Amino acid sequence: MFEALKTLPQDPILQLMQTFREDTRPDKVDLGIGVYKDDAGKTPIMAAVHEAERHLLERETTKSYVGPAGSAGFNSAMAELIMGSDSPLIRDGRTSVVQTPGGCGALRMAAEFLRLCEPDTRVWVSTPTWANHLPLLGGAGLTIREYPYLNPETLQVDFAAMLETLEGAEAGDVVLLHGCCHNPSGADLSLEQWQEVTSLIQRKGLLPFVDMAYQGLGEGLNADAAGLRHLANAVPEMLIAASCSKNFGLYRERTGALALISATATINSAATSQLLSVIRSHYSMPPNHGAAIVETILGDQGMRAQWQDELNGMCERILYLRHAFAHALAPVGDFSFIAHQRGMFSFLGISPEQVNRLRKEHGVYMLESSRVNVAGLNDRVLPQVAAAIQDVMSK
Ligand code: LMR
């Protein structure tokens, strides 16, 4: 049965990560995969995470099953982190949160759940969007439609084109939005634009689905969730996929959450039972360790304060690097948009050929689309990267 199978190319982001690891040049620079790096170019374990792990090692009493929803403590802490601790959606029982294996697990379970609700569900995704959105959602059987999001010339949000296309969506269609730190462009909607999208979604009866993978890395935990919260408070139903990979640095622990908002508590309880059945038939239950870390941190005043400090430090460092990068590239052209965008990513707007030359001739790695992970920069490599970009853009 297997002999007819053809070898598939690796996912481009993961392939680039591997090529970088195999590159023996000591001065190589990784601006590829979306992983935060500190000044020394390392992806450290956050001190609050270390502390929580010590705590767990001493106090954990069982490795028995957690159940398809995961830990209730983690789920309620995540609900407050995403929606705000005073959210009426939590108070009124209109929201349930389940623990998932990473943000990817949340995206896929949401897609499977949507297909269960309506087998012909169409989901509108931004052009461009994170490449893995397409197999995660399409693989569950949803029909993918695209709405223009980024103007390729200006590398800014083309809001008019986005609205115009979404006007063509039909009641019941799903719209996938990036909560903050748009991946791959770094170009976010302003709060006013979130308000306009909310009105359109209400008017047309669309179902919003928000991917919140970078909360806390744009402008701060609450500021990054402002658009999402506005939307959530205005619509009867919504789905939110959240990830703890970046803001807790738990990448390999696969820690995420899926929030389901319904019109009433009664509807929510029935819908959640269906979602739990979907989960049971896929992976049965989520892994525990990462979620236990998050629950421990968010439930302890001291660890929580330490984590917020560290996260704020990461956020500020990215903002600093965005300004420093735009400044370092000023002799090459106007890259000031990098300073105004948010989160880990921005496009440089250079050709795939120039991207290849950066990798081959200068050891500077980025996605072929010219998406750079700004969080992979530091003061030491910045001049080298800027000079390399200048070199490939001048020839
Ligand atoms: C990225 O976009 O680089 C990250 O979200 C990592 C991944 O899994 O693709």
Side-chain angles (χ1 to χ4, degrees):
M1 196 186 286
F2 304 153
E3 65 274 11
L5 298 175
K6 304 252 183 330
T7 305
L8 285 177
Q10 261 217 71
D11 170 281
I13 299 180
L14 304 182
Q15 174 64 60
L16 194 70
M17 177 176 82
Q18 190 177 328
T19 314
F20 179 81
R21 282 182 182 162
E22 287 163 2
D23 188 334
T24 52
R25 287 175 285 183
D27 58 349
K28 61 184 178 175
V29 181
D30 182 13
L31 306 179
I33 192 160
V35 168
Y36 178 84
K37 300 210 177 97
D38 63 13
D39 264 341
K42 299 267 178 295
T43 303
I45 300 176
M46 293 172 91
V49 167
H50 256 320
E51 180 62 24
E53 285 188 306
R54 267 192 293 274
H55 183 98
L56 285 170
L57 198 61
E58 280 161 19
R59 290 172 218 212
E60 212 171 33
T61 52
T62 183
K63 293 288 184 194
S64 179
Y65 291 120
V66 285
S71 161
F74 169 82
N75 293 338
S76 64
M78 286 301 288
E80 291 191 6
L81 196 68
I82 301 164
M83 248 93 65
S85 52
D86 55 355
S87 168
L89 296 166
I90 301 174
R91 187 195 58 217
D92 300 344
R94 286 183 50 209
T95 304
S96 59
V97 172
V98 297
Q99 176 188 326
T100 56
C104 288
L107 286 160
R108 183 55 177 248
M109 287 307 99
E112 297 286 350
F113 172 74
L114 286 167
R115 202 181 50 135
L116 181 92
C117 297
E118 170 51 61
D120 296 329
T121 296
R122 301 198 302 182
V123 55
W124 293 79
V125 304
S126 64
T127 305
T129 195
W130 180 44
N132 211 25
H133 277 149
L134 305 182
L136 279 169
L137 305 179
L142 305 187
T143 303
I144 308 274
R145 291 275 185 277
E146 296 184 22
Y147 61 86
Y149 183 78
L150 194 76
N151 178 326
E153 302 299 319
T154 61
L155 299 176
Q156 324 268 0
V157 177
D158 191 344
F159 193 57
M162 172 182 177
L163 290 187
E164 194 188 321
T165 301
L166 288 179
E167 280 295 339
E170 286 167 21
D173 281 1
V174 177
V175 184
L176 183 73
L177 299 160
H178 296 223
C180 64
C181 308
H182 184 267
N183 180 6
S185 73
D188 281 346
L189 298 180
S190 66
L191 189 54
E192 292 69 36
Q193 289 172 330
W194 275 96
Q195 287 162 353
E196 277 196 61
V197 173
T198 299
S199 304
L200 184 146
I201 285 172
Q202 284 175 308
R203 184 162 46 77
K204 297 206 65 89
L206 310 179
L207 178 72
F209 180 9
V210 177
D211 186 359
M212 188 58 145
Y214 296 87
Q215 188 181 359
L217 287 155
E219 295 185 350
L221 283 168
N222 289 322
D224 289 350
L228 172 157
R229 289 177 189 171
H230 171 81
L231 176 58
N233 287 320
V235 292
E237 294 181 342
M238 176 160 151
L239 289 162
I240 304 164
S243 168
C244 302
S245 292
K246 329 281 169 167
N247 53 8
F248 286 85
L250 286 172
Y251 310 91
R252 64 175 64 175
E253 301 295 354
R254 310 311 301 138
T255 311
L258 174 59
L260 171 63
I261 298 173
S262 315
T264 67
T266 313
I267 299 173
N268 195 256
S269 150
T272 305
S273 75
Q274 296 277 346
L275 175 62
L276 292 175
S277 157
V278 169
I279 289 172
R280 177 70 168 151
S281 67
H282 280 80
Y283 52 78
S284 184
M285 299 170 201
N288 173 67
H289 187 64
I293 292 169
V294 171
E295 183 178 344
T296 305
I297 292 173
L298 295 180
D300 177 282
Q301 244 186 3
M303 279 186 250
R304 190 180 179 118
Q306 184 176 26
W307 166 70
Q308 277 194 359
D309 257 17
E310 290 180 83
L311 180 60
N312 288 343
M314 287 158 65
C315 181
E316 277 161 24
R317 188 166 164 279
I318 293 174
L319 289 172
Y320 160 75
L321 286 169
R322 286 190 163 279
H323 281 94
F325 195 29
H327 182 71
L329 291 177
V332 192
D334 181 9
F335 287 87
S336 55
F337 60 88
I338 295 177
H340 304 131
Q341 293 173 341
R342 291 293 173 261
M344 289 188 176
F345 309 115
S346 281
F347 284 121
L348 288 184
I350 61 175
S351 68
E353 193 209 342
Q354 288 168 321
V355 169
N356 283 338
R357 284 189 51 212
L358 278 170
R359 191 181 71 249
K360 286 197 182 120
E361 295 170 24
H362 300 278
V364 175
Y365 284 68
M366 63 190 64
L367 300 193
E368 203 177 49
S369 60
S370 85
R371 186 196 82 169
V372 285
N373 172 18
V374 181
L377 290 165
N378 57 54
D379 286 330
R380 191 173 33 84
V381 300
L382 205 57
Q384 172 196 343
V385 171
I389 293 169
Q390 180 153 26
D391 179 53
V392 301
M393 285 185 74
S394 64
K395 285 186 213 151

